[in-house]
Amino acid sequence: MALTATTTAQKMHSIKGDRHLFASSDDSIVLKQMHETHKPEGRDIDVRPILHVVEDVFRRTTPTFVMTALMSQAHLEADVHDGANQTGLTLMLEAIAFTVHRITYEVTYKCSGGGEAHTTTMAVFQVLSTYTWDAKAVMALAALAVNYGEFWLTAQLHSANPLAKSLALLKQVPDIIEHTNVLKPRFDAINNLIRVMLDVTKCIIEFTELPSEYISPESPQMGAAMTHIPTAVYWVVRGAVACISQTIALIGIGHEHISSTTEAWELSTIAHKLANIHGHLTKQLELCHKHIDEKRDLEAYQTLVRLFETIHIDNMKILRALLYSKDDLPLFDGLTKKRVGLDVLRRKIVLLFISDLDISPEELFVLIQIYNDTHHGKVERQYEVVWLAVTDRHRPWTENREADFNRLVSNMPWYTLHHPSHLQPAVIKYIREVWHFDKKPILVVLDPQGKLVCPNALHMIWIWGSLAYPFTSSREDALWKEETWKLELLVDEIDPAILNWVREEQHVCLYGGDDIEWIRKFTKLLRQVAHDARVPIEMVYVGKSNPKGVKKAIAAIKAEKLSNYWEDPAMVWFFWVRLESMWHSKMQRGRSIEDDPIMQEVMQMLSFDGSDEGWAVISHRSFDILKSHGKTLYDCLLNYDLWKENVENEGFIPALAKALLPYHTHEHCTRLILPGDTQQIKEKVICAQCKRPMEKFVLYRCCKD
């Protein structure tokens, strides 16, 4: 026992000496010593498979796994044969086996003799001098796995295998198993250090696997990491030496001499050092990945730009670049509810419906209706629609957002990109920068060869529906040439009853605003005047573009039977969005109120909507249209007796128009509120009333009824 006590004393002295060295050593001196031993020969070793085996050994050597294995030997034997097909790995392990065993021997010999940990660590670096930094770390861990694995293998088998039992007796393993509770802090410290060493080593390997075509060793992100990797490898090797030292210290020491707290402190200190290194390397790795992603995204973006500048036989190259080429079935078919490939779009006109998840129900309802009109026989549909959901990548993708996406997809009869995450950053950048998508939906049209023929056909669709086919800019020009300002353009097929009244040559009054008192007075007065003038007239309330207040107005009109109204919010929404679309369409064509009569009329209608008062449009035979602010028109109608004689000779609308002239003054305040992309709006917008340039303000609005 005297020999055992002397050996124990030497080991304890060695640990204290190592701790002192650890506390006072200068990393720069250590780094210099390591670089003197670093003479790589350029040999290429795939260290990941080796590290996988090493990890497997460590996983099976945790005390929890050991106790479970002792109770279930059959489970252990079944687990050992996992991954039998490892021919390449076996050859690799054969090539490094001698070096790994040499490290184990070197550390065991020096630790058994009470050697200094730093000296032992540098001896390991001498053995590994010809290997790269990542290989040094992996092979040091492999040596530890051999040492620690043999220790626990004996512990696992000693109760069932005679040979293991004899070895365990010589190593006093049964005594160690018996006092597991006393030694738990030491085993916990060893396992924690092993975990941190593995984390650091994996991080180092990741740096070696970064694609050189996107990041070079000279880049700032990579350079900062490369400076710290040698230090990281030193502490991984130093940790392996410390762990082997601990297993050696367990052999031949009676439980009465065990003092595990001191040894656990030693291991925890190294683990803390490595954890700090791992944190720094992880941050640098994130910066490297960010740099690589930016380079890849820029490359993909430039490729997309070139693709759209190139003439193609069909649209497949363009669509693969846009719609996630890594997936064989990137689309979801809204009719069959199945995943499909891009071939369903080959050589077809493709309409890319681009939006975020905040699509209004009215917008989706009307678009589906227009789409179904062509699908169910009104017009043969010769195009396909694909929804691309552009979401904010900075916001977490929650279950609620997933549910919103799935709800929208379930309502759409067309194709959808299977998931918003499949839309690559380069594509999103192109959509935002080239196609100017911000928040309001757009409908980008690609011809059968993938060529862009309209950057946003949504305005065209809202105005003319399926008649806008094939949705090109030239088709938009042609449709405008056929149009004049008339009631049919204003209401289209939103309300078939209005078109019937026009054909029956009845007078039709559309009015709006949310001032209920004015609505009551105006409708009653107009009905009385029309009756006196013997003019059959139908009135329809069309609300405002901002739905706030419209519901209350409709409720009052309905209860008091003041006039016709649109109970469906989609009809009110569509009326106003068509007017806004007319304005945007004309602006895209470079027109202004100075040279375009339709645009002048549209702008006046939109300015009515921007005001706080009511307004009205009165029409007869579609072309005879009069419009006015509500107060002006009401005052004029109050004085009907002054101009009623002109009605019989001139007609109701011409007589009313003439009667309104004295009420027009130079004083006015016209407001034009246009939702959408302000980049598309000209700097100079002319007032429809006085023909002077309007002032520009920025309005932010949040309205909830």
Side-chain angles (χ1 to χ4, degrees):
M1 289 298 293
L3 179 61
T4 304
T6 304
T7 306
T8 304
Q10 286 176 341
K11 289 171 183 171
M12 297 303 156
H13 175 76
S14 173
I15 291 169
K16 289 177 183 177
D18 291 343
R19 191 181 306 116
H20 175 72
L21 174 66
F22 176 84
S24 61
S25 62
D26 186 346
D27 276 0
S28 62
I29 297 172
V30 173
L31 194 62
K32 183 179 179 183
Q33 291 174 342
M34 281 195 304
H35 276 295
E36 288 172 355
T37 68
H38 187 57
K39 299 170 184 176
E41 294 179 347
R43 63 178 73 185
D44 186 20
I45 298 177
D46 185 3
V47 294
R48 274 214 180 267
I50 301 170
L51 187 63
H52 179 72
V53 176
V54 169
E55 278 191 280
D56 192 57
V57 171
F58 289 140
R59 182 177 65 86
R60 299 171 193 274
T61 56
T62 58
T64 305
F65 186 91
V66 171
M67 297 310 294
T68 306
L70 288 171
M71 291 184 287
S72 179
Q73 192 68 26
H75 170 78
L76 175 65
E77 289 173 359
D79 214 20
V80 164
H81 295 289
D82 289 348
N85 187 18
Q86 297 180 347
T87 307
L89 176 60
T90 302
L91 292 172
M92 198 181 303
L93 291 172
E94 284 177 1
I96 66 167
F98 175 75
T99 306
V100 170
H101 285 292
R102 187 178 166 192
I103 295 168
T104 308
Y105 169 77
E106 192 79 36
V107 177
T108 304
Y109 173 74
K110 290 192 182 305
C111 289
S112 299
E116 186 183 70
H118 173 68
T119 305
T120 305
T121 302
M122 293 312 300
V124 173
F125 275 106
Q126 287 291 350
V127 175
L128 296 171
S129 62
T130 58
Y131 292 91
T132 55
W133 293 112
D134 60 320
K136 292 181 201 287
V138 171
M139 292 176 75
L141 288 174
L144 171 58
V146 169
N147 173 273
Y148 203 48
E150 286 177 352
F151 175 84
W152 281 110
L153 185 62
T154 307
Q156 290 176 18
L157 300 177
H158 83 279
S159 61
N161 186 295
L163 177 59
K165 185 176 181 179
S166 298
L167 285 172
L169 190 61
L170 289 171
K171 293 185 175 184
Q172 292 294 291
V173 171
D175 194 47
I176 293 166
I177 296 296
E178 186 181 340
H179 295 89
T180 302
N181 290 337
V182 179
L183 291 166
K184 187 178 185 301
R186 186 182 299 196
F187 288 134
D188 287 346
I190 290 172
N191 289 323
N192 182 55
L193 177 55
I194 287 171
R195 180 184 58 78
V196 181
M197 287 192 293
L198 286 169
D199 288 342
V200 171
T201 303
K202 288 176 188 174
C203 201
I204 292 168
I205 293 170
E206 281 195 64
F207 278 107
T208 67
E209 294 172 342
L210 294 176
S212 57
E213 64 268 31
Y214 295 110
I215 191 165
S216 66
E218 292 76 29
S219 67
Q221 299 88 346
M222 196 75 159
M226 293 298 105
T227 303
H228 292 91
I229 282 177
T231 305
V233 174
Y234 171 84
W235 286 106
V236 169
V237 176
R238 178 71 178 268
V241 169
C243 290
I244 293 173
S245 175
Q246 292 299 313
T247 58
I248 293 168
L250 289 169
I251 298 171
I253 300 179
H255 65 84
E256 68 274 10
H257 298 291
I258 292 170
S259 174
S260 63
T261 306
T262 304
E263 289 75 16
W265 182 89
E266 176 78 15
L267 298 170
S268 298
T269 307
I270 298 174
H272 180 71
K273 176 82 174 177
L274 278 168
N276 287 335
I277 291 171
H278 180 250
H280 177 77
L281 289 179
T282 301
K283 287 179 183 177
Q284 287 304 125
L285 191 61
E286 287 172 358
L287 291 173
C288 288
H289 280 303
K290 184 181 178 184
H291 176 81
I292 291 166
D293 289 343
E294 287 173 354
K295 293 286 287 288
R296 280 178 171 157
D297 291 344
L298 179 61
E299 183 179 81
Y301 176 80
Q302 291 170 341
T303 300
L304 206 53
V305 171
R306 287 194 298 272
L307 279 173
F308 273 103
E309 291 173 347
T310 307
I311 298 172
H312 303 281
I313 297 172
D314 61 23
N315 53 6
M316 284 295 99
K317 277 189 178 180
I318 291 288
L319 294 177
R320 284 194 197 100
L322 289 171
L323 305 178
Y324 201 64
S325 60
K326 295 178 185 177
D327 193 335
D328 292 334
L329 303 172
L331 301 178
F332 179 80
D333 188 335
L335 290 177
T336 65
K337 307 301 180 185
K338 293 179 180 178
R339 298 276 297 275
V340 295
L342 293 178
D343 276 342
V344 296
L345 305 176
R346 187 184 293 274
R347 293 187 177 176
K348 289 187 177 182
I349 293 172
V350 176
L351 277 60
L352 300 175
F353 179 46
I354 301 169
S355 75
D356 57 16
L357 300 184
D358 297 324
I359 308 173
S360 72
E362 296 83 9
E363 190 164 25
L364 190 57
F365 172 78
V366 174
L367 193 59
I368 290 172
Q369 203 169 44
I370 292 170
Y371 178 86
N372 287 337
D373 280 349
T374 59
H375 184 63
H376 293 306
K378 282 194 177 181
V379 184
E380 183 183 355
R381 181 165 51 81
Q382 298 175 326
Y383 60 89
E384 298 293 349
V385 177
V386 180
W387 181 41
L388 304 184
V390 179
T391 58
D392 184 355
R393 298 294 173 93
H394 299 295
R395 283 180 61 194
W397 187 255
T398 61
E399 289 183 5
N400 287 340
R401 297 186 78 199
E402 181 77 26
D404 288 342
F405 173 74
N406 290 332
R407 175 181 51 78
L408 288 168
V409 170
S410 67
N411 291 324
M412 292 179 177
W414 45 72
Y415 296 109
T416 301
L417 184 63
H418 175 61
H419 198 272
S421 61
H422 287 188
L423 204 60
Q424 299 301 292
V427 177
I428 294 174
K429 177 182 170 72
Y430 192 89
I431 286 171
R432 291 190 184 282
E433 294 188 3
V434 179
W435 292 341
H436 304 295
F437 169 76
D438 183 14
K439 184 171 175 59
K440 285 189 72 67
I442 61 173
L443 197 67
V444 176
V445 185
L446 307 179
D447 73 6
Q449 287 72 46
K451 180 184 176 183
L452 177 74
V453 291
C454 185
N456 187 10
L458 206 52
H459 305 312
M460 224 188 305
I461 294 281
W462 294 145
I463 301 167
W464 294 289
S466 55
L467 288 176
Y469 177 84
F471 315 108
T472 61
S473 297
S474 58
R475 176 59 177 161
E476 190 172 12
D477 284 332
L479 287 167
W480 273 126
K481 285 177 182 176
E482 297 171 9
E483 291 290 358
T484 54
W485 182 249
K486 54 188 177 182
L487 202 63
E488 288 92 329
L489 175 64
L490 197 54
V491 297
D492 194 49
E493 295 183 358
I494 297 173
D495 189 346
I498 294 176
L499 300 182
N500 287 334
W501 296 333
V502 171
R503 284 191 288 270
E504 292 168 3
E505 297 191 356
Q506 293 193 57
H507 287 71
V508 178
C509 172
L510 306 181
Y511 71 97
D514 55 11
D515 185 342
I516 296 174
E517 282 305 311
W518 175 84
I519 291 172
R520 285 192 183 102
K521 292 191 297 182
F522 169 72
T523 51
K524 290 175 182 177
L525 179 60
L526 180 59
R527 184 170 281 111
Q528 180 62 48
V529 168
H531 178 269
D532 291 349
R534 299 176 184 176
V535 172
I537 192 166
E538 293 287 350
M539 291 181 281
V540 181
Y541 175 67
V542 297
K544 288 173 68 75
S545 62
N546 177 10
K548 184 177 174 62
V550 172
K551 285 183 181 178
K552 290 180 181 178
I554 288 176
I557 292 167
K558 182 179 181 180
E560 300 173 32
K561 299 180 180 179
L562 300 176
S563 72
N564 298 292
Y565 57 90
W566 292 335
E567 198 160 16
D568 186 351
M571 296 172 74
V572 177
W573 174 86
F574 195 31
F575 176 83
W576 289 106
V577 86
R578 287 185 73 254
L579 278 167
E580 290 167 5
S581 295
M582 291 177 199
W583 191 88
H584 281 291
S585 175
K586 289 286 187 179
M587 288 294 284
Q588 284 181 352
R589 310 257 68 74
R591 308 308 296 268
S592 70
I593 67 164
E594 297 160 302
D595 57 17
D596 193 305
I598 292 179
M599 191 169 185
Q600 182 175 342
E601 300 289 348
V602 168
M603 190 167 172
Q604 268 200 311
M605 291 291 296
L606 292 174
S607 67
F608 287 162
D609 185 53
S611 70
D612 295 324
E613 58 180 292
W615 57 270
V617 171
I618 303 176
S619 173
H620 182 228
R621 295 177 180 174
S622 74
F623 291 99
D624 209 359
I625 298 179
L626 174 148
K627 51 187 185 309
S628 174
H629 287 286
K631 186 179 182 306
T632 305
L633 183 57
Y634 181 78
D635 290 345
C636 185
L637 291 172
L638 274 178
N639 294 312
Y640 171 65
D641 289 340
L642 299 178
W643 52 272
K644 65 180 181 180
E645 293 179 358
N646 298 329
V647 172
E648 190 173 343
N649 296 327
E650 301 175 10
F652 181 72
I653 290 180
L656 178 57
K658 186 184 290 185
L660 279 168
L661 290 175
Y663 293 89
H664 293 157
T665 64
H666 294 294
E667 295 176 2
H668 66 278
C669 182
T670 302
R671 282 183 291 181
L672 182 65
I673 300 175
L674 296 165
D677 184 7
T678 55
Q679 294 178 0
Q680 303 295 320
I681 299 174
K682 292 179 179 179
E683 277 300 313
K684 190 172 81 167
V685 176
I686 303 300
C687 174
Q689 193 161 339
C690 66
K691 309 300 185 289
R692 290 187 302 174
M694 298 178 74
E695 291 182 274
K696 184 177 179 180
F697 295 88
V698 177
L699 170 68
Y700 295 93
R701 185 172 67 184
C702 178
C703 300
K704 190 171 182 180
D705 203 2

